[in-house]
Coordinates of all heavy atoms in Angstrom, one line a residue:
Chain B
P17 N 104.0 -159.1 110.2 CA 104.8 -160.3 109.7 C 105.0 -160.3 108.2 O 104.2 -159.6 107.5 CB 104.0 -161.5 110.1 CG 102.8 -161.0 110.9 CD 102.8 -159.5 110.8
L23 N 98.7 -165.2 105.6 CA 98.6 -165.9 106.8 C 97.1 -166.4 107.1 O 96.2 -165.7 106.8 CB 99.1 -165.2 108.0 CG 100.5 -164.9 108.1 CD1 101.0 -164.1 109.3 CD2 101.4 -166.2 107.9
V29 N 98.9 -157.1 116.1 CA 99.1 -155.9 115.4 C 99.3 -154.9 116.6 O 98.4 -154.5 117.2 CB 98.2 -155.5 114.5 CG1 98.5 -154.1 113.8 CG2 98.0 -156.5 113.4
C38 N 105.7 -148.2 129.8 CA 104.7 -149.2 129.9 C 105.3 -150.5 129.4 O 105.9 -150.5 128.3 CB 103.5 -148.8 129.1 SG 102.1 -150.0 129.2
C44 N 103.2 -160.3 130.1 CA 102.1 -161.1 130.1 C 102.1 -162.2 129.1 O 101.3 -163.2 129.2 CB 100.8 -160.3 130.0 SG 100.5 -159.7 128.3
N58 N 111.0 -148.0 126.1 CA 111.2 -148.6 124.7 C 110.0 -149.2 124.1 O 109.2 -149.7 124.9 CB 112.5 -149.4 124.7 CG 113.8 -148.5 124.9 OD1 113.8 -147.4 124.7 ND2 114.8 -149.1 125.4
I72 N 96.3 -162.7 124.8 CA 96.4 -162.2 126.2 C 96.9 -160.8 126.2 O 96.4 -159.9 126.9 CB 97.2 -163.2 127.1 CG1 96.6 -164.5 127.3 CG2 97.7 -162.5 128.4 CD1 97.4 -165.6 128.0
I82 N 96.6 -153.2 121.2 CA 97.0 -154.4 120.5 C 95.7 -155.1 119.9 O 94.7 -155.3 120.6 CB 97.7 -155.4 121.5 CG1 98.9 -154.6 122.0 CG2 98.1 -156.7 120.8 CD1 99.8 -155.5 123.0
E91 N 87.0 -168.2 103.9 CA 87.3 -167.9 102.4 C 87.0 -166.4 102.0 O 87.6 -165.8 101.3 CB 86.5 -168.8 101.5 CG 87.1 -170.2 101.5 CD 86.8 -170.9 100.3 OE1 85.9 -170.6 99.5 OE2 87.5 -172.0 100.1
E121 N 82.6 -144.9 109.4 CA 81.8 -146.0 109.4 C 82.1 -146.8 108.1 O 81.9 -146.2 107.0 CB 80.4 -145.8 109.7 CG 80.3 -145.2 111.1 CD 78.9 -144.9 111.5 OE1 77.9 -145.2 110.7 OE2 78.7 -144.2 112.5
E126 N 80.3 -159.0 111.5 CA 79.5 -159.9 112.4 C 80.4 -160.4 113.5 O 81.6 -160.7 113.3 CB 79.0 -161.1 111.5 CG 78.1 -162.0 112.2 CD 77.9 -163.3 111.4 OE1 77.8 -163.3 110.2 OE2 77.6 -164.4 112.1
L132 N 85.4 -163.2 127.7 CA 85.6 -162.6 129.0 C 86.5 -163.3 129.8 O 86.3 -164.5 130.0 CB 84.2 -162.4 129.6 CG 83.1 -161.7 128.9 CD1 81.7 -162.1 129.4 CD2 83.3 -160.1 129.1
H156 N 87.4 -150.6 115.4 CA 86.4 -150.3 116.4 C 85.1 -150.8 115.8 O 85.0 -150.9 114.6 CB 86.4 -148.8 116.6 CG 85.5 -148.5 117.9 ND1 85.7 -149.0 119.1 CD2 84.4 -147.6 118.0 CE1 84.8 -148.5 120.0 NE2 84.0 -147.6 119.3
R158 N 80.6 -150.7 116.6 CA 79.5 -150.1 117.5 C 78.4 -151.1 117.4 O 77.9 -151.5 116.4 CB 79.0 -148.8 117.0 CG 78.1 -148.1 118.1 CD 77.9 -146.7 117.9 NE 77.2 -146.5 116.4 CZ 77.7 -145.8 115.5 NH1 78.9 -145.1 115.8 NH2 77.1 -145.7 114.4
I160 N 74.7 -152.1 117.8 CA 73.4 -151.4 117.6 C 72.7 -151.6 119.0 O 72.5 -152.7 119.5 CB 72.5 -152.0 116.5 CG1 73.2 -151.7 115.2 CG2 71.1 -151.5 116.5 CD1 73.9 -152.8 114.4
K161 N 72.2 -150.5 119.5 CA 71.6 -150.5 120.9 C 70.2 -151.2 120.8 O 69.4 -151.0 120.0 CB 71.3 -149.0 121.4 CG 72.4 -148.6 122.2 CD 72.1 -147.3 122.9 CE 73.4 -147.0 123.7 NZ 73.8 -145.6 123.5
D170 N 66.8 -140.6 134.4 CA 66.6 -139.2 134.4 C 65.8 -138.9 135.6 O 64.6 -139.1 135.6 CB 66.1 -138.6 133.2 CG 66.6 -137.3 133.0 OD1 67.0 -136.6 133.9 OD2 66.5 -136.7 131.8
S171 N 66.4 -138.6 136.8 CA 65.7 -138.3 137.9 C 64.8 -137.0 137.6 O 63.8 -137.1 136.9 CB 66.5 -138.1 139.1 OG 66.9 -139.3 139.6
E177 N 56.5 -136.6 142.9 CA 56.1 -137.0 141.6 C 56.5 -138.4 141.4 O 55.7 -139.2 140.7 CB 56.9 -136.1 140.5 CG 56.4 -134.8 140.4 CD 57.3 -133.8 139.7 OE1 58.5 -134.2 139.5 OE2 56.8 -132.8 139.2
A184 N 50.4 -144.6 140.4 CA 49.6 -144.7 139.2 C 50.0 -146.0 138.4 O 49.1 -146.5 137.8 CB 50.0 -143.5 138.3

Side-chain angles (χ1 to χ4, degrees):
Chain B
L23 294 179
V29 177
C38 186
C44 76
N58 286 337
I72 290 175
I82 304 183
E91 287 206 346
E121 295 178 11
E126 188 188 328
L132 297 159
H156 190 55
R158 192 173 55 239
I160 293 110
K161 267 195 182 124
D170 210 340
S171 290
E177 281 166 345

